Amino acid sequence: MVLFKHILCGLMMALLGGTSLAQNTFQNPIQKRGRLGSPLVETSPFVFGNKLYLLENNQRFWDIAGIKPGDYFHEDEVRIREVESGNIVSVPLKNHGFGTALVWNDRVYVFAGNYGEGKPWRHITEITMTSSSDLKNWTKPQVVLRAAEGEFFFNTAVCRGKNEFILLYETNDKRWKPFTFRYMKSTDLTKWEAIPEALYGVDKYVGGPALYYEGDWYYTLYLEALKPGYETRITRSKDLVHWEDAPAGRPFISFDPTHKNIPLIDPSISESNASDVELCYFEGRTILYFTGSDQTTAGDLQWATYDGAPRQLFEHFFKKTDEDSSEPPEHEGDWTPVLISPQNNLENTKASNIGIRRKPTPQQLDYQERQMGAFVHFGPATYIASDFMSVPAADLFNPSQLNAEQWVKTAKSFGAKHIVLTAKHHNGYCLWPTKTTDYSVKKSPWKNGKGDVVAEFVEACRNNYIKIGLYISGGDKHFGVTSTPDPQGERKLVGDIHQYFPVFLEQLRELLTNYGEVSYVWFDGAYDPFGWDVVDPKTMKPLGTAYGDAIRTMVEHLQPNAVVMGGTKPDVRWSGSEQGWAAYPLWNVLEPGEGFDHWVGPQNAGWIPAEANIHPREKWFWTPNSDSTLRSLDYLKKVYLETIGRGSNILINMTPDTNGLIPEPEVQRLKDLGVSIDKVYSNPMGRAESTDLSQNSEIFINLPKKKTINLLVIEEQLRLGQFIKEYNVEAYIKGKWVSIAKGQSVGRKRIQTFEKIRTNKLRLSYKSVEHKGAIRSFTIYDADF
């Protein structure tokens, strides 16, 4: 189906200079991704088991010729579709509609209106709930709410609130306007009671609601009637009684009258509706589904994204943007940054202990949550035995069978959540048709010089819901500007950096403006003329960080939600290993003076998480007859334990061959790794979660009976920072507590193996810095890994 094969607008130009006061104009950050060719109206995206699903309310009259809205159709169904494959995985309810989904404590709960027997579909008087822990086996549907006499239900929405669950439903109660929202509360999802005066829409038309709780606010999305048309707007409340609407000029999603050829209606009718918006957070961005059409028959299902978390998105619509400021506006258009000379020489530059960041930024947190990424090394070096420091003829590059979809699916098979493509490696060859040089795909016989590897890679990533990363080498052998391969702190500049710098900036600008959202920008420290430690070869004086700082500033302006690996101001640091290994203990915060020992400049300190990488073949780029050099599955599993299992992220390399395809033995080896990981970590023997921030310093797992275990996973609440400095895990064996595993750092994730034991009780005790931070989860497994 088209629906599941295709799952900000341009940056504003800002005016600089003068003494005029700045006013910021509101911009909607939601990016529409396209129409999906489906008449579905009410859908609910949700994430379960690290996969994206869509709850669909299918109306049978769409499938039967001659049937029209309002007829009796009691075979309507609420069904679950896996987005990536497009397959229907189950049908939780039949003869129901207006369904929605809630994920809570490893279960999916579906709430929907029951049509009953012998009634038109609009005469719903019962809301039904069913749940499942595997999306295949569903509990017997039970009625959780019944309408008052003469009342009918319509759309519904459910969320987890501050201390309880909240249910919203549309009612036709005669005391208020039709479709007014009424709010109920429950502690168990089955017994619901009305919240006094908790209403919305009593004095205006509303409809198509969605309900979320973020940052102590309840947010409701609702349909507003215009003259003409309908659009979705947003309101919020702390108590579900008093509501604050977003300013009138800020629709959450509006319609596009240029859209025609809407499913099931006259193809000449224009879209005049954008309703029934629901969303979820998946792989570092917010995924939204909504329907277009004209609010008469069926819908025109569409999807959109926001590169951030729902809370960030909701808060954006309530920010004050019309306040006067004496500061100039940030420049967000095409520009060349002005270099600012460093205040001190490099040897005197040292990070201060004052005000260093000890918690991750939202971008860093999203990055660390993803954990696993894929690297794609591809370019002219693929054709010359992985020699990335030679500069062969531009027309040597000819990937006649290039298939970026195959790359992305291979990455997803082992669990990668982002992919980094070598858009330009050290030889200077650009995999996109840059305007800065002919040493690029423009001179390739592939697609007669009209190809764009970066564009195909980006499209494949977006089609498969995976974050986009781009690698661009600062060093450029073709241009003749690099640094020597001397040890850190002793590198010398090669070539004319002043002539090359604007060329590099333009290449970077092209990559960060021509391909939409980029989540990860990767600067290689090797051969980098902009490195913090590079010196002038004549004077032997440090060049300083001015060029590198300007490069980082450009990234921040053009891709503000991206994380940056390397450079003079990194968000992410190298672990020091290209063999898939990270040091232990591993701390996310570098104290002042520690940078040099952790592969960042001495001017850096604060929250800078580590990333390891590995090339499963003997070389970074593909070489002929190298299948035999592929790392074994056991080796790759060991890598997983020594990177992810120590709190680091990892990039696992993939090597397309001269045809542009990853060889099948490599595809299979990486897929086997993913299967092994899923087999182990999708089947826990027991789990304890903690939302208690009072620092009890102990967490217990109590099992109903004794089980065999030999592996554990501990995670900190990383958004609060990293604080655990020591932990001890004990099992209750033969009437006493016995220590089975100890360690120091936890951070994003700590995985530890131990000899098999049998027990039904475990205790995790820990010490933390200043009694701060919190455990996120403690999980045990029986696994051969």
Side-chain angles (χ1 to χ4, degrees), residues 117-171:
E117 299 296 334
K119 297 185 299 184
W121 72 289
R122 291 184 182 274
H123 291 185
I124 297 173
T125 58
E126 295 178 347
I127 294 176
T128 301
M129 185 267 285
T130 181
S131 69
S132 173
S133 61
D134 60 7
L135 298 182
K136 297 178 182 178
N137 302 293
W138 293 86
T139 60
K140 182 180 179 180
Q142 65 180 116
V143 176
V144 296
L145 195 64
R146 287 185 170 88
E149 185 176 353
E151 181 186 24
F152 297 130
F153 295 142
F154 301 94
N155 284 292
T156 189
V158 183
C159 77
R160 175 66 184 184
K162 186 175 184 179
N163 298 308
E164 57 206 350
F165 299 97
I166 304 297
L167 180 148
L168 171 165
Y169 69 86
E170 294 178 347
T171 178

Side-chain angles (χ1 to χ4, degrees), residues 28-225:
N28 191 322
I30 296 172
Q31 188 169 4
K32 291 185 178 181
R33 293 297 187 180
R35 304 164 69 187
L36 300 172
S38 167
L40 289 170
V41 178
E42 293 94 7
T43 61
S44 297
F46 65 92
V47 178
F48 189 68
N50 296 319
K51 292 184 178 180
L52 180 64
Y53 294 91
L54 195 63
L55 179 146
E56 302 177 345
N57 292 274
N58 187 55
Q59 298 185 11
R60 288 295 187 185
F61 80 86
W62 291 331
D63 301 334
I64 305 171
I67 300 297
K68 62 183 184 299
D71 284 355
Y72 289 55
F73 40 90
H74 298 299
E75 289 301 318
D76 287 16
E77 64 185 22
V78 178
R79 62 196 187 190
I80 307 292
R81 186 187 298 274
E82 183 188 357
V83 171
E84 182 176 15
S85 67
N87 296 328
I88 301 293
V89 297
S90 63
V91 179
L93 294 168
K94 290 193 174 184
N95 195 25
H96 284 71
F98 296 120
T100 190
L102 169 72
V103 179
W104 180 253
N105 282 351
D106 298 323
R107 292 191 73 83
V108 176
Y109 296 82
V110 171
F111 294 80
N114 184 356
Y115 292 137
E117 299 296 334
K119 297 185 299 184
W121 72 289
R122 291 184 182 274
H123 291 185
I124 297 173
T125 58
E126 295 178 347
I127 294 176
T128 301
M129 185 267 285
T130 181
S131 69
S132 173
S133 61
D134 60 7
L135 298 182
K136 297 178 182 178
N137 302 293
W138 293 86
T139 60
K140 182 180 179 180
Q142 65 180 116
V143 176
V144 296
L145 195 64
R146 287 185 170 88
E149 185 176 353
E151 181 186 24
F152 297 130
F153 295 142
F154 301 94
N155 284 292
T156 189
V158 183
C159 77
R160 175 66 184 184
K162 186 175 184 179
N163 298 308
E164 57 206 350
F165 299 97
I166 304 297
L167 180 148
L168 171 165
Y169 69 86
E170 294 178 347
T171 178
N172 74 330
D173 192 303
K174 301 295 190 227
R175 290 175 291 176
W176 312 297
K177 284 184 174 292
F179 310 122
T180 289
F181 303 158
R182 195 170 189 186
Y183 297 84
M184 316 289 285
K185 64 181 179 179
S186 172
T187 57
D188 61 5
L189 292 170
T190 59
K191 301 180 184 66
W192 295 90
E193 62 177 291
I195 302 172
E197 301 182 30
L199 300 162
Y200 185 79
V202 296
D203 55 355
K204 64 180 178 182
Y205 173 90
V206 295
L211 178 65
Y212 305 95
Y213 181 72
E214 297 284 346
D216 295 328
W217 288 92
Y218 291 95
Y219 291 91
T220 295
L221 304 180
Y222 67 93
L223 193 64
E224 180 151 303

Side-chain angles (χ1 to χ4, degrees), residues 15 91 111 340 415 424 438 442 456 458 522 562 575 629 632 701:
L15 300 175
V91 179
F111 294 80
I340 301 174
K424 172 192 166 188
D438 286 339
K442 291 189 298 186
E456 296 198 16
V458 165
W522 216 96
S575 74
T629 70
S632 68
I701 295 177

Side-chain angles (χ1 to χ4, degrees), residues 45-48 50-52 212 214 278-288 306-312 362-363 365-367 369-370 467:
F46 65 92
V47 178
F48 189 68
N50 296 319
K51 292 184 178 180
L52 180 64
Y212 305 95
E214 297 284 346
E278 293 202 39
L279 56 86
C280 68
Y281 187 59
F282 181 60
E283 296 187 343
R285 64 177 176 172
T286 301
I287 309 293
L288 306 92
Y306 165 72
D307 197 7
R311 177 175 175 176
Q312 295 171 285
Q363 296 90 338
L365 184 59
D366 286 344
Y367 162 82
E369 287 297 314
R370 298 197 292 268
K467 292 284 189 177

